Each structure stands twice: as structure tokens, then as C-alpha cells.
Amino acid sequence: MIFTLIPLPVLILYHGGERMSYLSKDLETMPRDELKALQLKRLKEQIARTYERVECFRKRMDEKGLKPEDIQTLEDLAKVPFSYKKDLRDYYPFGLFAEPLKNVVRFHASSGTTGKRIVVGYTRNDLETWAECAARMMSAIGITDEDIIQVSYGYGLFTGGFGVHSAAEKLGCAVIPMSSGNTKLQIQNMVDFGATVLCCTPSYAMHLGEEVNHMGVKDQIKLKCGIFGAEPWTESMRREIEKSLGLKAYDIYGLTEVIGPGVACECSEKAGMHIWEDHFLPEIIDPDTGEVLPEGSTGELVFTSLTKEAFPVIRYRTRDICRLEYQPCKCGRTHLRMCKPQGRSDDMLIVRGVNVFPSQIEEVLLKTSGGDITPNYQIIVDRVNNTDTFDVNVEMSESLFEDEVRSIESIEKRITSELRSTLGIGAKVHLVNPKSIERSEGKAKRVIDKRNLH
Ligand code: ADP
Ligand code: ZN
């Protein structure tokens, strides 16, 4: 750990050949008109550079009769063609890179939650930008070089592990590079090394919390906060994790295509995730028409990178459905905030014609549980006689399992009726035995949709 006289990290950014030195606090609290001017300057450069170097983007611009010079305001971005996850598959592996491989120093690939894997590349400066973005969050929630960070996101091609690892090192924290899995050893190290911060997916944090209590070592762990992301999670789940691990839980958002974890993160206010707008320009669009929606609307989140070198993304359709908050944050940061994504548009289930997000079900389960169930659940959708079946298996708590008096059936009925009033359709709820649903060490698999298997 390094002793430093400067309380905020001095960040050196390389961009478009120029070298800039910033205190991150100045960037994070920059007046919005200055921030917009910076975005426009960078946007023009990023579009010109991508047009020159990436054939797919150039072709799409040409088809629309657009040249980089036509982009003169931030609003002009709406004219520019979108890019999609499919492009990364069509141009696999390196067809969308804007730098020769000799300038690429790292690859990552998506964890493959939905469909074929995709690959992205980073120059040295891209890694620097990425570490800076995630490090900003860590300082925003009070993490310093005094902290010991246990990184329990997977290391490897998945961006989670390396993403927060580099950020923590940048701040001078002591990093425990655990990766995911090996739960008992994770907890042993957490105790022995005195970890003060935990980084992993929220579903793995739930599992770790469960095990910590099972092993009876809660009073021996020193965790003060956790940085959890990479999958949707609800406020009720946050409360569960905070209770079981005795820490403050913060949300972090990112995706491989845009850079990795740290595109957006919560500050100490826990009131939405600040998007680091000096690097990533967000838009909210109507997912059906592609139209940019007015401020405050809920729609699909689209990102344009402003400083990336090896793998720039222009109007990239994340398929995440969310809303942006433009009101100033109490913390003083001027960068706008995104609310928790409800889930991806392609995670959304359509059951008997009704749109259902797994996160809505989770919210109902945790709200109505009253300690009778655990947040471990699985949704199973099938089609029988041309009708969708919709089952929700939920693990009951140990106390309910041991309680012979209360009727499981009446609890199932209570949850069923809550689900019906929230979702507008009926689900069959089954309380299943404790520990019978498989635990996740990375992103949880909540939905089993058997309809396409017939
Ligand atoms: P994959 O697409 O294979 O899952 P990624 O790790 O790149 O690979 O996943 C990024 C996606 O994970 C995002 O587009 C979003 O849907 C989801 N995600 C990441 N962080 C969060 C978060 N904090 N809350 C909700 N969803 C998240
Ligand atoms: Zn804030």
C-alpha cells in the first residue's frame, strides 16, 4: 500500500494522441455544459476514427449518406446507425477492431449468457481508462489504500475479475485475487486476510452470505462494503445480502462490449449508478422504432464510447431496459445516473402474451416472504397443449421446513396471489426444500424456458 499526499488519484489519460492530466473529482463534478463540450469534441474524434478504421461502421454510414463531418452537435448522433451484438458475432474475432493487434494488449470475451461468445480487445490506454472508471467508483464509496479487497468475480475471459482487480490496485488497495468458486476457502481467506471489501455477482454474494452464517463465522469477518454487479438484482436482494454479510452493498454496471464493469456505478448515496459520461455517452431509445426518447423515459440503453481505441462502439444497443436520472445527485457529481436495469429486453419472458421480467418475480418473492422463503428461486416456462405453463420454484427457509404446524400450501397461495396482482398472470408456486436449487458462483440462471426445446 502506498502512502500518498494527494487524497485523490491523479489520472493521466491518453486520448487521440494528446496527453491530459486530471484530478478525477474535477471531472466528476464538471458543470454539465463543460461536460457536454468535452463529449462533443471526443464524439467527433471517435466517429472520425471509427469511420476511417472500421469497415462495418463506414459501410453503414455510407449507406445513410453520412460522413463524420455531418456530426456537429450531440443531437446529430441520432442520425448515426446503430451497432448490435450480432455485429460482434458476424465480424468475429477481430473484424471490428480499430487498432492493429500489435497495439492490443488484452482480450476479453463475454460470458456467453445469451448466445455465441464475442471477443473484444484493449490497448494499454483502454486498460487505463477502464481501471480509472472502476477506481472512481471505489473512491466514491470511500475505499482507500487501507482496504483489503477480495475479488470473487471470475478471472479469465470474463471482464469481472480483472476489471475490479486493476481498479483496486490503482487505488493502492491490497487485492486478494480469489476468482469465483471454492466457497469454503473464500470464506476462510476472507477471515484470515481481514478482507474489508467484497466484489462478486449479487447471486454469489447471497451464497457466500448463506455459507458464512452456516459456518458460524459472521462475527469474524471484517467486510464493510461490497461491490456487486454483472446481473440484475433487486433492492430486496440488497437488503438480504447486507444483512447476511453485515456490509453495505453497492451496484456496479458494465458490459464487455462497452469496456467491462465500471461503465456506471453507485456513489455513497445509492441513488442510481453514475455513468462516467466523459467516456461513455448514453441514450435511451424506443427498442422497436429506434427513436431517441425524451429525458426521463424508460427504454433501451444505447452507448457510444468516447475514448476507446481498440474496440470503439458507436450507438451500441445494450438491450438493457432502464431509465436515466438527470436531477443532480446529492453527492455533487454531475454525471447522470441510470436506474437499475429491469433486465435485458432478451431476458424478458413473454408468457401467455404478457411481458414478465425475472426481477419482478424476485421483488414479489422477497417482499411477501416474511422469513418463510429464501431468495433462491427458479422460473420454469413450458408449453403444454399450446398453452404456456409458468412455474416458480422457491426454496423455503430452514425454519419453515422444520415447522410442522404452518401450512406450506397457504404460503404458496399467498405468493401466487401476489404474483398474479403484480404480473397480471397466474404462476404455479412450489415451495421446495432448503438448498435444493443449485447455487451460482457467477451469474445466476433464473429461467428455464423449455418452449423452444419441443
Ligand atoms: P454476457 O452478455 O455474456 O452476460 P457481460 O458480462 O458482458 O456478458 O454482461 C453484461 C450484461 O450484464 C449487461 O448488458 C446487463 O444486462 C448485465 N448487467 C451487468 N451489470 C448489471 C447490473 N449492475 N445490474 C443489472 N444488470 C447488469
Ligand atoms: Zn452521486
Side-chain angles (χ1 to χ4, degrees):
M1 282 176 273
I2 307 158
F3 176 72
T4 167
L5 288 171
I6 308 167
L8 287 157
V10 177
L11 300 162
I12 311 286
L13 302 177
Y14 293 87
H15 166 61
E18 54 184 308
R19 189 166 188 264
M20 294 174 284
S21 170
Y22 289 119
L23 284 178
S24 67
K25 188 79 181 169
D26 292 345
L27 270 171
E28 291 168 34
T29 57
M30 192 183 246
R32 282 206 69 82
D33 51 348
E34 276 177 39
L35 181 59
K36 285 189 170 179
L38 176 68
Q39 285 180 319
L40 180 59
K41 176 175 173 290
R42 291 180 170 184
L43 176 68
K44 286 184 186 173
E45 288 166 359
Q46 185 95 142
I47 287 194
R49 193 172 172 279
T50 311
Y51 183 84
E52 187 193 311
R53 297 175 180 216
V54 180
E55 189 198 344
C56 166
F57 179 64
R58 186 168 54 247
K59 272 195 193 151
R60 284 196 188 146
M61 287 282 280
D62 290 348
E63 276 163 19
K64 285 195 150 201
L66 278 174
K67 293 277 170 239
E69 310 78 81
D70 296 327
I71 310 308
Q72 288 302 326
T73 65
L74 289 177
E75 287 69 37
D76 286 340
L77 181 61
K79 301 179 198 162
V80 173
F82 290 117
S83 55
Y84 305 86
K85 188 149 197 162
K86 185 174 180 306
D87 301 336
L88 281 88
R89 298 185 181 128
D90 293 348
Y91 288 83
Y92 181 88
F94 307 137
L96 299 175
F97 283 25
E99 285 288 336
L101 287 185
K102 88 174 170 47
N103 296 339
V104 169
V105 296
R106 173 97 67 81
F107 296 118
H108 277 288
S110 109
S111 54
T113 311
T114 53
K116 189 183 157 198
R117 283 192 329 153
I118 47 110
V119 63
V120 297
Y122 302 76
T123 62
R124 208 172 286 286
N125 292 333
D126 292 333
L127 290 184
E128 190 59 30
T129 305
W130 184 17
E132 179 212 323
C133 288
R136 280 185 192 176
M137 173 221 200
M138 292 182 181
S139 13
I141 59 172
I143 297 174
T144 68
D145 57 4
E146 303 283 340
D147 280 296
I148 301 174
I149 300 200
Q150 180 149 338
V151 180
S152 305
Y153 280 114
Y155 280 67
L157 285 171
F158 173 53
T159 50
F162 280 104
V164 292
H165 179 113
S166 309
E169 278 190 350
K170 196 174 177 67
L171 284 186
C173 306
V175 185
I176 315 171
M178 275 304 296
S179 199
S180 60
N182 218 340
T183 304
K184 289 215 161 54
L185 182 64
Q186 293 267 358
I187 294 169
Q188 199 55 56
N189 282 349
M190 210 182 272
V191 170
D192 295 350
F193 298 0
T196 55
V197 181
L198 172 67
C199 303
C200 61
T201 60
S203 50
Y204 194 43
M206 290 278 309
H207 182 35
L208 285 167
E210 204 172 46
E211 276 305 302
V212 160
N213 287 285
H214 185 69
M215 289 163 69
V217 295
K218 187 168 170 196
D219 57 344
Q220 294 173 45
I221 59 172
K222 299 206 178 71
L223 294 175
K224 61 176 194 191
C225 66
I227 300 174
F228 307 123
E231 62 181 354
W233 54 310
T234 55
E235 285 302 325
S236 331
M237 194 155 160
R238 182 185 333 239
R239 283 192 294 276
E240 287 284 331
I241 297 172
E242 292 190 330
K243 198 167 83 191
S244 68
L245 285 168
L247 48 68
K248 282 192 176 149
Y250 296 91
D251 200 356
I252 184 167
Y253 169 92
L255 60 166
T256 314
E257 301 88 308
V258 174
I259 209 159
V263 171
C265 333
E266 278 180 339
C267 63
S268 52
E269 297 295 324
K270 289 189 185 170
M273 294 180 271
H274 288 284
I275 295 175
W276 302 128
E277 286 182 273
D278 48 330
H279 294 292
F280 311 107
L281 183 63
E283 297 170 275
I284 293 286
I285 62 153
D286 178 327
D288 298 323
T289 63
E291 205 103 340
V292 176
L293 294 175
E295 281 189 11
S297 312
T298 297
E300 181 179 342
L301 183 59
V302 170
F303 277 113
T304 298
S305 62
L306 296 175
T307 53
K308 274 176 82 192
E309 294 180 343
F311 195 87
V313 284
I314 309 288
R315 301 199 86 201
Y316 182 72
R317 307 268 307 243
T318 64
R319 296 168 303 161
D320 289 324
I321 305 294
C322 83
R323 194 175 54 77
L324 300 180
E325 176 61 64
Y326 289 80
Q327 294 305 313
C329 182
K330 284 196 194 128
C331 74
R333 287 180 182 76
T334 50
H335 294 225
L336 52 77
R337 288 163 287 156
M338 61 183 271
C339 69
K340 271 183 178 302
Q342 275 182 313
R344 308 185 198 197
S345 50
D346 53 1
D347 270 352
M348 189 183 75
L349 284 162
I350 304 182
V351 185
R352 290 176 223 135
V354 176
N355 299 348
V356 176
F357 279 103
S359 57
Q360 292 176 292
I361 297 178
E362 183 176 310
E363 197 67 60
V364 169
L365 292 179
L366 290 166
K367 206 171 63 196
T368 53
S369 80
D372 290 328
I373 59 168
T374 73
N376 299 299
Y377 67 96
Q378 206 148 43
I379 302 157
I380 300 149
V381 190
D382 203 348
R383 185 163 289 143
V384 178
N385 297 332
N386 291 324
T387 307
D388 291 339
T389 60
F390 183 28
D391 292 80
V392 180
N393 292 343
V394 198
E395 272 182 22
M396 63 183 104
S397 61
E398 297 278 353
S399 58
L400 178 63
F401 185 59
E402 283 156 16
D403 188 337
E404 287 161 24
V405 186
R406 278 181 309 152
S407 147
I408 287 180
E409 209 176 310
S410 74
I411 298 168
E412 287 176 343
K413 273 198 188 136
R414 194 177 76 212
I415 300 173
T416 305
S417 107
E418 276 296 325
L419 278 177
R420 183 188 297 280
S421 67
T422 304
L423 304 175
I425 52 162
K428 270 195 197 138
V429 175
H430 312 273
L431 293 193
V432 298
N433 289 350
K435 304 251 160 76
S436 60
I437 294 177
E438 199 188 333
R439 298 294 183 265
S440 152
E441 292 172 351
K443 301 192 187 209
K445 183 158 176 51
R446 302 285 190 205
V447 181
I448 302 177
D449 192 341
K450 299 181 177 168
R451 288 174 297 187
N452 299 328
L453 301 177
H454 297 302

